[in-house]
Amino acid sequence: MEGRGLKARMYFFAFVASLLLFTVGLVLGWQWGYSAVTQMRSEFDALSADEAGVELVSLLGNESFACQIYESEFMRVFQKTVEYGEKLAELESKKGKMDSEVLELKKDYSSMQLRNYLLQQKMDARCGYRHNVIIYFYSNENYTPETDEGLQIGKVDKEFGVYTYHFDINVDSPIVRGLKAAYNIKTTPTLIINGEKYEGFLTADELRAILSRNK
Amino acid sequence: MLELFFAFVTIYFSVLFLLVYMEDADKMEDPKPTRYPSVDIIVPAYNEEKHISETINSLLALQYPGKIRIIVVNDGSTDATLNVARTFEPRGVLVIDKPNGGKASAINEGLKFADSELVAILDADSIVEPDALNFIVGYFEDEKVMAVTPMMKVWKAHTPVQILQRAEYILNSFTKKILEQFDSITVTPGPFSVYRRKVFDELGGFDEDTITEDQEIALRIQKANYKIASSYGAVVYTDAPRTLSQLFKQRKRWYKGFLENVWKYRQLLHHSYGDLGVFMLPSTIAVIVIGILALFYSIYRILSSPLTFKINLSTMFFGPSDVVLTMTTLVSFFLVSLAAKKLNESNMVLLFISTLIMSPLLTLFWLFIIIDTLKDKLLGVDLKWKGEG
């Protein structure tokens, strides 16, 4: 039988060219990722400064002035923190849960969440507000959309004006360890809703029922 | 990380095809014939009363300088196909009637009456451009060429399913021409593939036991170390399935036939068959498997990623995988646009979107059909061809 041709040279060149394209893509992606982390750090610094500013200004003047500042400025800072959290989650999904830069940013984010929570509690007490507050302990390990409590909270937070503070229990930081000890967190999801602890997954309707009691 | 592997495979094949296209640019044009050999055109017909007049009229309108004879074989139709075909007898069309036995048996019946140098087969639901043969016959001046496939297009794409197939047909015709450079064409489709008459004397007629006789004959020609060429200029229009269920039924036959014939001709997976045996045939099988894996992986990612359904432009972040996947899409788009340009298709965006929809859809079909084939093998069920394209 007469042998047939083999375009071995073409297969090789195609492999080299593909490898080159592929590498350029990866390098561009990493560079982009590096820029994103740098940008996230700058945003975190700016947010921290804003948050400290709100706290300082609320110390000035009388009670009514402090509450006025709290109402106008704290919500703005809180909203920015929520957006920052979404960006961080996106970054985590792209770079991976074990990425050292992501873990560092999450540590910082946990401390910001706690500071926000404490400031909000202090100002609610001073100004006599009864905002709905959820402290949400979660884990990204063994994630399924069916057990994503965050999605359920998202369905009710606007309706009840909920302030939600997220803590990933797998973040290795004194703040998260301290909170886990303070609330005796053993499982996820665990929610502390207006001071009461709820272990396990809650549907949006169940959340609605609990939050309605605060009206 | 799996998506990076899938992306690399896609980039590799796109780049390989582009390199071959660029290196063999001169071979992409149809060769000009120095002579016009006689051609018998066999039209196997089963229940095609609606289409057959158009089919025969398109053949009668062929502007071919050589001698042509049209042979219509009615394969035991239960409608008026035979009567319609007979109205063309006064214009020189030979009409043969036989009991139903399947498309291959109808073609073999027609072959008994064919004595020209070349034999064309035209499905009774297809029509040819008047100059189609002129683009094809030049290839037969290479003595090794035993078959030439045409440029297939979808006839009057009305339904969304037909519009999607339009893109698929264009891409298939484009890649078939590139596969010709690898001597790796593995199907000579029913709509107007042309054969050298002596190939049937040497290798026998169409296999009446297979459900895809056009794949079987192509693999038999490859096994005999002959060439199959592909023409860009010879345009033939075919009636494509209108609905998803019709499409699935058609693909079930095609894909099952592919599996059956690849198994029958597994000896082609050998280095003595050059590119076909070493790379193209194994790659075709590998790409099907990789496609199914990629489909499963995509579904897994959609279900498992916390952010999949949260598209918020303010938080968009592109990681290395995203950049590579974007580049993969761009390389694929470049290949599709090249095909569109080469084959005079103006709506590149529609072509690309159709390709994006068709790829996962056909992969899903493959998955169902592989499972179905395994089930049939276990239950001993046979799939018989009745007349679908």
Side-chain angles (χ1 to χ4, degrees), chain B residues 156-203:
Chain B
K156 290 176 182 169
H158 294 302
T159 71
V161 172
Q162 287 179 316
I163 291 168
L164 289 175
Q165 289 172 89
R166 194 168 150 263
E168 186 203 6
Y169 276 54
I170 287 167
L171 265 186
N172 281 352
S173 292
F174 181 72
T175 50
K176 198 170 276 174
K177 186 70 193 169
I178 293 170
L179 285 174
E180 179 199 313
Q181 313 312 314
F182 290 96
D183 279 336
S184 297
I185 293 177
T186 55
V187 61
T188 44
F192 218 53
S193 286
V194 182
Y195 303 84
R196 198 184 290 278
R197 176 70 183 86
K198 75 169 191 184
V199 78
F200 299 114
D201 299 332
E202 196 178 314
L203 304 179

Side-chain angles (χ1 to χ4, degrees), chain A residues 1-7 9-15 17-19 21-22 24-26 28-30 32-33 36 83 86-87 89-91 93-95 140 143-145 148, chain B residues 4 8 11-12 15-16 19-20 23-24 144 181-183 222 225-226 272-276 278-279 303-307 310 312 314-315 317-320 322-324 327 331:
Chain A
M1 184 168 53
E2 190 190 327
R4 302 197 338 181
L6 191 65
K7 288 185 183 290
R9 191 176 61 93
M10 202 56 89
Y11 299 135
F12 175 74
F13 280 135
F15 183 78
S18 307
L19 203 60
L21 268 173
F22 196 73
V24 167
L26 285 180
L28 277 175
W30 275 317
W32 206 328
E83 284 167 14
E86 285 173 1
K87 277 188 190 177
E90 173 82 9
L91 191 70
S93 77
K94 299 293 181 189
K95 287 178 79 80
N140 277 344
Y143 173 88
T144 62
D148 186 346
Chain B
L4 292 179
F8 187 80
I11 290 181
Y12 180 72
V15 168
L16 179 66
L19 284 178
V20 172
E23 185 173 275
D24 296 333
K144 293 281 279 179
Q181 313 312 314
F182 290 96
D183 279 336
Q222 290 289 3
N225 272 316
Y226 287 124
S272 57
Y273 290 100
D275 292 304
L276 177 70
V278 173
F279 193 81
L303 293 178
S304 66
S305 169
L307 291 159
K310 271 180 107 177
N312 182 349
S314 69
T315 62
F317 165 74
F318 285 87
D322 301 297
V323 177
V324 169
M327 284 178 75
V331 171

Side-chain angles (χ1 to χ4, degrees), chain B residues 75-140:
Chain B
D75 187 32
S77 298
T78 53
D79 66 358
T81 302
L82 182 63
N83 292 338
V84 176
R86 284 208 163 127
T87 62
F88 289 92
E89 281 178 328
R91 297 169 72 184
V93 174
L94 176 64
V95 180
I96 301 161
D97 187 30
K98 69 179 270 300
N100 180 254
K103 186 176 168 186
S105 79
I107 300 170
N108 286 339
E109 189 64 26
L111 281 174
K112 290 178 191 165
F113 295 84
D115 53 9
S116 296
E117 192 177 331
L118 302 178
V119 176
I121 313 293
L122 182 67
D123 286 349
D125 60 356
S126 306
I127 63 167
V128 290
E129 287 273 6
D131 55 356
L133 258 182
N134 304 25
F135 289 106
I136 284 179
V137 292
Y139 286 98
F140 287 99

Side-chain angles (χ1 to χ4, degrees), chain A residues 10-110:
Chain A
M10 202 56 89
Y11 299 135
F12 175 74
F13 280 135
F15 183 78
V16 172
S18 307
L19 203 60
L20 198 68
L21 268 173
F22 196 73
T23 311
V24 167
L26 285 180
V27 170
L28 277 175
W30 275 317
Q31 183 58 38
W32 206 328
Y34 177 75
S35 310
V37 171
T38 312
Q39 195 192 332
M40 291 287 281
R41 289 226 162 274
S42 314
E43 282 183 32
F44 180 83
D45 291 343
L47 254 181
S48 297
D50 278 3
E51 186 194 41
V54 173
E55 193 165 8
L56 279 174
V57 172
S58 68
L59 296 174
L60 294 171
N62 57 23
E63 210 70 6
S64 136
F65 175 76
C67 293
Q68 208 181 325
I69 287 293
Y70 171 58
E71 272 190 57
S72 62
E73 290 300 312
F74 182 76
M75 192 58 210
R76 191 180 60 79
V77 172
F78 181 82
Q79 193 51 44
K80 275 188 169 179
T81 314
V82 170
E83 284 167 14
Y84 183 85
E86 285 173 1
K87 277 188 190 177
L88 191 52
E90 173 82 9
L91 191 70
E92 183 182 17
S93 77
K94 299 293 181 189
K95 287 178 79 80
K97 286 180 279 198
M98 303 311 290
D99 184 88
S100 59
E101 287 165 321
V102 170
L103 288 172
E104 277 305 309
L105 287 170
K106 285 189 83 169
K107 266 190 204 178
D108 295 342
Y109 183 66
S110 299

